[in-house]
Amino acid sequence: MSLLLSVPDEILILICQNLTIPSIFTVRLVCSHIANLVLNYSQAIVPEVAHTTFPDARLLLRVPSGQYRDFAWLKGLIHRYLAAVLVDRFKLSSTRLFFEPHGIPAESDIGEALRSRVENGWHVFQNLGKLTEDAQYLPYKYQSSVSIRDRLRHGAYSRHKRDRLAEKKAYDGLEHRITKCVNEWPRTSLEDYQLTTFLLHLAFRTKHDQPEARSLPTHRISYDGPDDFDWNAKEGILLENYNSWANWAILPLGSPTFFRQWSPISEEPKSCLIKDSLLRMWKSTTPEEVKFLRRVAVTIRDTMRRNGIHEGSWEQLLDGCQKYKAWELGLGRFLAGEPLPLDWMDQMPYFVDFTSSCRTNTENL
């Protein structure tokens, strides 16, 4: 630490300017000297960090009216970028809205209104993740609250009953917490969340969550894998139905994990980051926990429905694109032969592909 403090401020500033967004926020926690340095020279550091993190982006780094290039703006670029990813990569999942390969590229201004909605949906997604991240351990928390005297008095005969009571208390408490927060959020934010999750689910390739047939053979996808992981079409347990364990599991992973996989910079091998993270969580989850966490996912879905907010759909996205004139603008530019904006997302490991996974322990559920 003493060696670090002996480095001239000019050198530390240059180092900070070459960091990425996650790294600069980590560096600020090293010591008060670094934190104060970064804060005092934020005007010189923040723009460079943004360009280092998104070297090919232009529209993404445009500062909205009334904002400044500060750390709040820098942090907000994560969700703004993820929104650009979902809107841009949607063209890989459908040809219903646009002539290929135009779509709504990340550097095209025709998608700004739609991206703003998806960005807002990512904020709700992150808040729900914080709200439900401890859901897996709640039943055990309530079990531990049972006194030793009661355990000895009732013995093993009532162990099953105590477990069910602990699970019910955990579920009721979590349901109340979810309902309270959802009721406090604006309706527009809930609608944006549903649109965001709809687009997010399209990134997951399974034989059961297959998007509608494509008109171009170059974008056809094979869904011939086994019934693996948490997908069960016979029982209707699907990601698109919002009743899968995975619907809960992606919430605590949060936007940072999706950013690590979809980041335009290569700091680590990440082509299967989300999939591997989910599989690790799945292997450490018991069948009883899977059933409980499915209930959590259904609770979120049903709470939304009670507020008049239904799951996102192709029709909702189509209506949104027509509302924002994205259809007319995109088609007009395509027919006019305008050059496509720089498509710097083509090399992104976008899809979370479960079609080739080995069979897991879903048979026990």
Side-chain angles (χ1 to χ4, degrees):
M1 182 63 69
S2 59
L3 181 61
L4 178 64
L5 295 178
S6 65
V7 177
D9 288 352
E10 293 79 6
I11 302 300
L12 291 176
I13 292 173
L14 288 175
I15 293 174
C16 291
Q17 287 177 332
N18 286 276
L19 296 177
T20 61
I21 294 177
S23 298
I24 193 65
F25 281 99
T26 302
V27 164
R28 293 175 65 189
L29 304 177
V30 171
C31 66
S32 59
H33 174 72
I34 299 295
N36 291 330
L37 177 74
V38 171
L39 182 61
N40 292 334
Y41 292 92
S42 60
Q43 291 185 354
I45 293 175
V46 166
E48 295 302 322
V49 170
H51 284 288
T52 301
T53 308
F54 307 107
D56 297 316
R58 299 293 180 270
L59 185 62
L60 177 71
L61 303 184
R62 184 185 299 171
V63 181
S65 176
Q67 291 191 17
Y68 303 93
R69 286 189 174 91
D70 53 16
F71 280 100
W73 171 78
L74 191 66
K75 188 175 182 179
L77 287 180
I78 299 296
H79 285 164
R80 191 176 183 193
Y81 170 75
L82 292 177
V85 170
L86 292 184
V87 174
D88 179 284
R89 299 289 86 182
F90 173 73
K91 64 189 178 188
L92 301 181
S93 301
S94 173
T95 59
R96 291 184 57 180
L97 304 183
F98 301 97
F99 287 86
E100 295 287 357
H102 202 282
I104 310 180
E107 291 295 323
S108 174
D109 60 329
I110 64 174
E112 276 294 87
L114 188 59
R115 281 191 289 266
S116 295
R117 286 195 58 191
V118 179
E119 178 185 356
N120 189 36
W122 272 111
H123 288 295
V124 179
F125 182 93
Q126 191 71 7
N127 289 330
L128 272 177
K130 294 177 181 178
L131 186 68
T132 62
E133 61 185 351
D134 63 340
Q136 183 173 1
Y137 309 104
L138 284 178
Y140 300 104
K141 175 182 177 182
Y142 281 94
Q143 286 177 17
S144 62
S145 64
V146 179
S147 66
I148 297 178
R149 176 188 296 180
D150 288 340
R151 295 182 188 183
L152 294 175
R153 180 193 305 168
H154 297 291
Y157 176 77
S158 61
R159 182 178 303 167
H160 177 76
K161 182 177 180 181
R162 290 202 313 270
D163 291 347
R164 298 284 74 79
L165 179 62
E167 181 178 310
K168 183 179 186 303
K169 288 183 177 180
Y171 178 77
D172 290 345
L174 186 62
E175 182 182 34
H176 174 75
R177 197 164 53 178
I178 292 172
T179 302
K180 182 176 182 295
C181 288
V182 169
N183 289 339
E184 292 175 351
W185 284 328
R187 181 183 179 87
T188 54
S189 295
L190 300 180
E191 292 174 343
D192 293 346
Y193 166 78
Q194 295 291 51
L195 176 60
T196 301
T197 53
F198 167 72
L199 290 172
L200 184 61
H201 293 168
L202 296 179
F204 287 76
R205 284 179 169 179
T206 78
K207 63 179 291 186
H208 301 303
D209 293 284
Q210 181 175 2
E212 297 185 10
R214 294 152 182 74
S215 60
L216 296 180
T218 54
H219 283 161
R220 291 191 181 277
I221 301 173
S222 174
Y223 288 81
D224 298 328
D227 285 345
D228 48 30
F229 199 52
D230 194 36
W231 330 118
N232 190 327
K234 293 181 180 179
E235 298 182 12
I237 300 175
L238 300 173
L239 197 66
E240 62 184 18
N241 291 342
Y242 292 78
N243 60 355
S244 164
W245 170 87
N247 287 102
W248 167 82
I250 61 177
L251 288 173
L253 285 182
S255 54
T257 304
F258 285 92
F259 178 75
R260 286 169 60 196
Q261 174 156 328
W262 293 341
S263 171
I265 52 178
S266 299
E267 292 185 333
E268 57 182 318
K270 54 190 179 180
S271 59
C272 299
L273 179 62
I274 299 171
K275 174 182 175 180
D276 291 343
S277 298
L278 289 174
L279 288 177
R280 281 195 301 270
M281 295 170 64
W282 175 259
K283 291 177 181 178
S284 64
T285 306
T286 66
E288 291 75 17
E289 291 170 345
V290 170
K291 292 178 181 178
F292 178 78
L293 295 171
R294 283 175 178 166
R295 290 180 63 193
V296 174
V298 170
T299 297
I300 296 174
R301 180 197 68 187
D302 292 347
T303 304
M304 296 281 187
R305 288 178 176 178
R306 286 195 294 271
N307 283 268
I309 311 297
H310 295 274
E311 297 77 61
S313 63
W314 299 96
E315 289 72 20
Q316 181 186 10
L317 185 62
L318 177 61
D319 291 343
C321 289
Q322 291 177 336
K323 176 181 177 181
Y324 304 128
K325 305 298 182 183
W327 169 270
E328 292 87 347
L329 290 171
L331 181 59
R333 294 181 182 185
F334 177 83
L335 295 177
E338 293 187 21
L340 297 179
L342 180 65
D343 200 348
W344 45 275
M345 293 187 175
D346 276 351
Q347 303 303 317
M348 175 189 300
Y350 172 66
F351 286 105
V352 183
D353 194 348
F354 281 93
T355 58
S356 58
S357 303
C358 59
R359 186 180 294 272
T360 56
N361 63 340
T362 50
E363 294 91 346
N364 299 325
L365 299 178

